[in-house]
Amino acid sequence: MRRNSNIFIGVLFIIIGTLFLVSNLGYINFSWSYVWPLALLVPGIYLHFSFFTGLDKNPGILVPAGILTTYGLLFYANVIFGWGLMAELWPVFLIGISIGLFELYIFGNRDNALLIPIAVLGGLGLIFLTDTVYLLNRKYLAPAFLIILGILIITKSNHKKDSNNKDIIENKEENR
């Protein structure tokens, strides 16, 4: 795995160096502002690639993979469309963490405890994002978020209660 990683990084440096050289020779217009988001995007994509191809079977790598990929795309949007967008798109920072945790939940051991931070961060990010994205309407999104969060909390507490009841019943049967 180490050899594949070194080859990948080496090829990446060769491509970036070639682009800068060709730009400095005046053949293309290439700027560092188009490259630096790759410092987030490429590792994020590589971590996804590593997990889904079986190079690394630890689903924990999906948390930074999701975060880095989301942030890399966010920064590319700002590089392309202007940094004034950041004033409106800052909630994507919350959503990026939620995406990473959600990937861990889906492809990991489906630990229900992850659903609370996923819902809180993702929900808050979407609520704050409604100022920018007019398709999302805050008067419906905020109540829906609260309802879903309440259901998750109740479901989690009922799951614990059912689990405790099963333990009590099993202990009584063992003591007979």
Side-chain angles (χ1 to χ4, degrees):
M1 176 154 148
R2 180 80 177 150
R3 185 178 187 291
N4 290 340
S5 175
N6 288 342
I7 291 171
F8 177 79
I9 292 170
V11 168
L12 182 66
F13 282 142
I14 290 169
I15 291 170
I16 293 171
T18 303
L19 286 171
F20 277 124
L21 180 62
V22 172
S23 176
N24 290 341
L25 293 172
Y27 294 112
I28 63 171
N29 184 13
F30 184 73
S31 168
W32 177 250
S33 63
Y34 294 106
V35 176
W36 76 263
L38 288 174
L40 299 175
L41 192 57
V42 169
I45 291 171
Y46 180 76
L47 291 173
H48 279 112
F49 176 80
S50 293
F51 179 76
F52 290 114
T53 59
L55 291 174
D56 190 339
K57 293 180 172 59
N58 180 4
I61 68 168
L62 292 173
V63 176
I67 294 169
L68 290 171
T69 303
T70 303
Y71 291 178
L73 292 172
L74 170 67
F75 290 136
Y76 260 119
N78 283 281
V79 164
I80 293 168
F81 299 111
W83 285 95
L85 281 178
M86 191 58 84
E88 304 294 331
L89 293 180
W90 65 266
V92 174
F93 287 113
L94 297 174
I95 294 169
I97 297 169
S98 182
I99 288 171
L101 291 173
F102 186 67
E103 288 183 37
L104 175 61
Y105 174 77
I106 292 295
F107 298 105
N109 60 1
R110 297 217 178 228
D111 183 5
N112 288 337
L114 287 171
L115 293 176
I116 300 298
I118 291 168
V120 170
L121 293 169
L124 286 173
L126 287 175
I127 288 171
F128 293 139
L129 198 58
T130 58
D131 287 338
T132 334
V133 182
Y134 298 106
L135 297 174
L136 301 173
N137 191 330
R138 184 178 289 163
K139 74 179 186 178
Y140 300 117
L141 190 62
F145 169 70
L146 293 172
I147 291 167
I148 291 169
L149 184 60
I151 290 169
L152 287 172
I153 291 171
I154 290 169
T155 304
K156 184 174 168 79
S157 69
N158 282 342
H159 178 69
K160 282 184 180 178
K161 183 178 178 182
D162 290 343
S163 155
N164 288 339
N165 287 341
K166 285 180 186 176
D167 290 343
I168 292 171
I169 292 170
E170 288 174 2
N171 286 339
K172 285 183 180 179
E173 289 178 358
E174 287 176 3
N175 290 335
R176 288 185 184 174

